Amino acid sequence: MKKLFYTVVVFFGLIAIFYFSLLVLIDKETYPPTALNFTPTEFTVVNEQEVFYSIGNSIKFGNQFSIADKTIFESDKRIVDVHVSPNNSFAVIEYSDEIWLLSYDGSIKQFISKVMNPFDVKSEPVGETFYTGNIQWGPTSDYFYVLEYEVYKRNKDGYISSETKALVKYTIDNQEFSKVVNPMPFFLYAQGENGIYFVSPTPDGDLVLNHSPLNSTQRKVVGLEELKKINNLRTIFYNFSVHDYSDMLIAEGRVKSQISEDRTNMSFYIDDNKVLTTKEGMGFKGPTFGMQAGIGNVFTPSGRYFLLNLYSEQYNGPLLFNVETYEYMKMPADLRIYQNVNTKTSNSWILTNSGVEIRK
């Protein structure tokens, strides 16, 4: 009985400590960073290539990055990602449960398939297959790849496990799916001149690079000498993700952030030119400066403009910088710019046993 009593005391004591800690956290003073010498202006975007971009759930194609450009597609669903073709004529719009194909002029608005997150399957039976949003365009922009997964195990607690099953090609002209690598043991892959390079795990937990001709069950492990040759010839085609792009800008030295010696201010640099400085704020997780070289910050195709997301006392949203004059202006909230950056348009990459990686 005593043991039960002490157990109850300890239990309610832990609950009391938890709620006390939560109250302390809520009561902690938080405040946004301050943008120093914040002087936004207005200017006209000129000589810029038209691109796909979104404001909220509206997809647009233009070069003014404003509500003035025509909306070519809209949905009540939240956009997960937009995958632009290499020729900038098409985009695959990815939502959490489906993907659509869209042309730059809005003449093509085509539902492609239902998709699911492989970590979020719930009620599907064992053996059920589904597509994911791990999309790669082909270099000719007339087809793209998706991954097919299969539910292979249901645990007693209801958790469902899935695994990669096949690499599937969707051709725009005939609007058909066809399996090109089957089975496909892993989700990391890139396109070569004569087939697909993909990563697979070994029984020891290491990763190896494999090659498979298209529409073939044959595959071979890529050795070190062959890997060196591939990197020298630069024959791989791979579309970089938004995460890759952010790492690429930092690796190439295009953007960087630097904290002052007294750690109270942080300055943001574009091509080694300081464009904005913020004074430290305080968030729930600790000090924050409200800007960084991260996802969503992007150069336009001409390289003349740069989009930077800022969180500060004066303004919370995207800023568009003119890289030639370093003027900047406020942009619509939730603005995201999409473009295709790949292994042909950038040289900051290397193929390894883990797939295509950004070269630091």
Side-chain angles (χ1 to χ4, degrees):
M1 191 72 179
K2 274 187 177 182
K3 185 175 180 181
L4 176 62
F5 172 77
Y6 286 124
T7 301
V8 172
V9 170
V10 169
F11 174 74
F12 282 104
L14 290 173
I15 292 178
I17 292 172
F18 170 77
Y19 279 105
F20 177 77
S21 301
L22 186 61
L23 288 173
V24 170
L25 181 63
I26 294 174
D27 191 53
K28 181 181 178 180
E29 184 181 5
T30 61
Y31 50 91
T34 301
L36 304 180
N37 301 316
F38 186 65
T39 55
T41 183
E42 290 190 7
F43 52 84
T44 301
V45 176
V46 295
N47 299 324
E48 185 55 62
Q49 176 183 325
E50 293 184 313
V51 295
F52 289 93
Y53 67 92
S54 64
I55 298 177
N57 293 331
S58 300
I59 301 291
K60 295 174 175 287
F61 187 84
N63 56 15
Q64 293 304 301
F65 315 119
S66 73
I67 57 175
D69 280 328
K70 179 183 176 182
T71 296
I72 56 176
F73 190 72
E74 193 164 17
S75 171
D76 58 356
K77 298 182 178 182
R78 186 183 68 85
I79 299 169
V80 174
D81 205 351
V82 174
H83 308 269
V84 178
S85 63
N87 67 1
N88 200 39
S89 293
F90 301 99
V92 175
I93 316 300
E94 179 187 345
Y95 300 102
S96 61
D97 61 347
E98 60 187 25
I99 54 175
W100 287 70
L101 178 67
L102 182 66
S103 61
Y104 73 96
D105 58 359
S107 61
I108 297 177
K109 301 176 183 178
Q110 181 184 340
F111 170 77
I112 299 298
S113 175
K114 289 287 186 181
V115 295
M116 286 194 296
N117 186 323
F119 301 103
D120 196 34
V121 289
K122 293 182 174 64
S123 59
E124 287 67 28
V126 173
E128 181 80 4
T129 59
F130 59 92
Y131 297 137
T132 71
N134 192 343
I135 293 165
Q136 283 285 316
W137 277 96
T140 54
S141 300
D142 55 356
Y143 65 90
F144 59 86
Y145 293 111
V146 297
L147 284 174
E148 182 184 71
Y149 276 68
E150 179 180 1
V151 179
Y152 75 95
K153 183 172 62 175
R154 181 186 293 276
N155 297 334
K156 291 181 179 179
D157 59 1
Y159 175 77
I160 301 175
S161 299
S162 59
E163 62 183 353
T164 316
K165 180 176 177 61
L167 183 65
V168 182
K169 179 180 180 180
Y170 182 85
T171 306
I172 295 176
D173 284 346
N174 58 23
Q175 302 180 22
E176 290 181 353
F177 284 107
S178 59
K179 295 181 181 180
V180 293
V181 178
N182 185 24
M184 179 83 167
F186 211 49
F187 62 90
L188 297 174
Y189 67 97
Q191 302 166 65
E193 289 185 323
N194 301 307
I196 299 294
Y197 292 93
F198 62 91
V199 176
S200 66
T202 68
D204 296 329
D206 298 322
L207 297 177
V208 295
L209 187 68
N210 304 265
H211 177 267
S212 174
L214 294 178
N215 306 309
S216 172
T217 58
Q218 297 180 358
R219 70 253 341 266
K220 67 173 183 177
V221 174
V222 177
L224 181 60
E225 290 303 316
E226 185 178 356
L227 190 58
K228 289 181 180 178
K229 182 179 179 181
I230 295 169
N231 282 313
N232 287 334
L233 294 175
R234 315 303 279 174
T235 54
I236 292 297
F237 187 79
Y238 179 82
N239 306 267
F240 293 109
S241 69
V242 291
H243 301 273
D244 296 328
Y245 179 78
S246 299
D247 293 341
M248 186 182 300
L249 293 183
I250 297 172
E252 293 175 349
R254 298 296 310 276
V255 297
K256 67 178 180 180
S257 54
Q258 186 173 14
I259 299 177
S260 60
E261 290 186 2
D262 61 5
R263 307 194 68 79
T264 59
N265 297 338
M266 186 177 79
S267 297
F268 192 86
Y269 293 78
I270 301 176
D271 292 332
D272 291 327
N273 291 286
K274 181 163 57 175
V275 297
L276 194 63
T277 299
T278 57
K279 182 180 179 181
E280 177 187 84
M282 183 62 64
F284 284 115
K285 295 183 179 181
T288 177
F289 293 98
M291 58 180 181
Q292 61 180 357
I295 295 173
N297 300 331
V298 57
F299 281 96
T300 57
S302 70
R304 186 176 184 180
Y305 303 97
F306 181 78
L307 190 71
L308 172 67
N309 289 290
L310 172 69
Y311 162 65
S312 72
E313 180 182 9
Q314 295 92 333
Y315 177 68
N316 183 21
L319 296 172
L320 189 69
F321 284 81
N322 184 322
V323 177
E324 296 178 354
T325 65
Y326 294 103
E327 296 176 296
Y328 54 91
M329 63 177 174
K330 299 177 181 179
M331 302 302 289
D334 300 324
L335 169 66
R336 294 176 65 186
I337 297 175
Y338 310 100
Q339 54 188 310
N340 185 288
V341 181
N342 58 64
T343 49
K344 300 302 181 184
T345 60
S346 173
N347 201 39
S348 300
W349 60 273
I350 188 170
L351 183 65
T352 72
N353 284 338
S354 301
V356 178
E357 298 181 351
I358 302 301
R359 183 163 53 185
K360 306 298 183 182

